[in-house]
Amino acid sequence: MKKALRIVWLALILMFIYVPILVLAVYSFTDATMVGGGISGFSFDNYINLFKNEELRNMIFGTVLLAVICAVISTVLATFGAIGTFYSKKIPKALLNTANQIPVVNADIVTGFSVCILLIVFLGVSKDTFIPLGIGHIVLTAPFVYLSILPKLKQMDNSLYEAALDLGATPAQALFKVVLPQLIPGILSGFMLAVTLSLDDYFITTYTKPSTFDTISTYVVNATKGSQTEIKTALWALSTLIFLIVIVVVVVMNVLASRKRRAKNEM
């Protein structure tokens, strides 16, 4: 009875999470003008409009480019930051870990407003340079990458680095050939998380972006306030594509990790 209740409870949670997304995906293949409205037939017009509309194409390209660049920078900073913190003494390690947790638990609107005040108001950095926007996204994503890498460091044998040095490797060789390969799963998962967070962010982007630039999140909010039905329905298609891409990436990563564990056990 308890097992059945657990299954029902899990099914309800999954339905609560995924049914709205699936409904949106179904409507993206129709000619409906609003979710819940009448449907006279299936259509691929929303997907055609998504890639035919130059404004939408530029918005998507700019958002993805911003997310990838910020994710790469965040991953590099967080990787070396996590390694440095891991091998630090007790008190500096505790202080750095605490400092990293602040942006994680802090509200995005506070982070965005703080970056805006520091860079744009006090330092006079122009928003048109994209510097405030990039720094804001790095501040948002780097702590999460750090938290993805830290568990891999804790699972790693602490003596590997010292053993590499004893065998004649330089500190740089020991870092890049011994330590970093052990952290690749955490680095990849942290990078993907950084990309997702950057794509999804709204508040930091709103405070720091140039006036002529929009990401997916800010564009969607502005589009829902307007009356352009064709744009709104094309965004249904965009949401569906993002959801499918995320599913594919997660499945591929899990399959590769499973194969790696299986190969390791067979050895």
Side-chain angles (χ1 to χ4, degrees):
M1 186 64 180
K2 291 182 179 179
K3 185 177 180 180
L5 289 175
R6 285 197 295 266
I7 294 174
V8 171
W9 178 249
L10 178 62
L12 290 174
I13 293 175
L14 293 176
M15 288 177 59
F16 181 78
I17 295 173
Y18 290 109
V19 166
I21 300 176
L22 294 176
V23 170
L24 182 65
V26 170
Y27 270 88
S28 71
F29 290 99
T30 69
D31 55 4
T33 58
M34 60 180 295
V35 176
I39 300 174
S40 58
F42 286 91
S43 171
F44 288 98
D45 288 346
N46 292 330
Y47 292 87
I48 295 173
N49 293 333
L50 176 63
F51 294 103
K52 186 175 66 174
N53 189 300
E54 184 178 359
E55 182 181 351
L56 288 174
R57 290 201 312 268
N58 293 336
M59 178 270 295
I60 295 170
F61 176 77
T63 304
V64 173
L65 182 62
L66 172 69
V68 171
I69 292 175
C70 291
V72 169
I73 297 174
S74 297
T75 302
V76 173
L77 294 175
T79 299
F80 289 103
I83 294 173
T85 302
F86 182 75
Y87 286 105
S88 297
K89 295 182 179 179
K90 186 175 181 180
I91 294 179
K93 181 187 292 187
L95 291 175
L96 290 171
N97 284 331
T98 302
N100 182 78
Q101 292 174 7
I102 293 175
V104 174
V105 300
N106 200 17
D108 285 358
I109 189 171
V110 176
T111 302
F113 196 55
S114 301
V115 172
C116 178
I117 291 176
L118 175 63
L119 296 179
I120 299 174
V121 178
F122 283 112
L123 299 182
V125 179
S126 174
K127 292 174 66 175
D128 294 331
T129 62
F130 286 88
I131 292 176
L133 177 60
I135 291 177
H137 278 232
I138 292 169
V139 170
L140 169 69
T141 57
F144 290 92
V145 182
Y146 176 98
L147 292 177
S148 298
I149 295 171
L150 202 59
K152 296 299 179 182
L153 280 165
K154 293 179 180 178
Q155 295 172 8
M156 186 181 67
D157 188 351
N158 293 336
S159 62
L160 288 176
Y161 181 77
E162 288 79 5
L165 296 179
D166 292 340
L167 292 173
T170 64
Q173 289 174 333
L175 174 63
F176 286 98
K177 293 185 178 181
V178 177
V179 177
L180 287 180
Q182 303 289 325
L183 307 179
I184 288 178
I187 293 174
L188 291 177
S189 61
F191 173 79
M192 293 304 302
L193 181 59
V195 171
T196 303
L197 289 170
S198 180
L199 291 174
D200 184 59
D201 178 73
Y202 173 75
F203 289 108
I204 294 176
T205 304
T206 299
Y207 282 114
T208 58
K209 74 179 184 68
S211 57
T212 57
F213 179 78
D214 268 313
T215 62
I216 292 175
S217 58
T218 58
Y219 191 90
V220 168
V221 172
N222 294 330
T224 55
K225 297 177 182 178
S227 57
Q228 294 178 288
T229 303
E230 182 178 297
I231 296 294
K232 292 181 182 179
T233 55
L235 292 175
W236 299 351
L238 176 61
S239 301
T240 303
L241 289 176
I242 293 174
F243 179 65
L244 292 176
I245 291 171
V246 170
I247 290 178
V248 170
V249 171
V250 171
V251 170
V252 170
M253 290 182 65
N254 286 334
V255 169
L256 293 177
S258 177
R259 289 180 178 178
K260 186 176 181 180
R261 285 195 301 267
R262 194 181 304 115
K264 191 174 181 179
N265 293 331
E266 291 176 355
M267 293 176 58

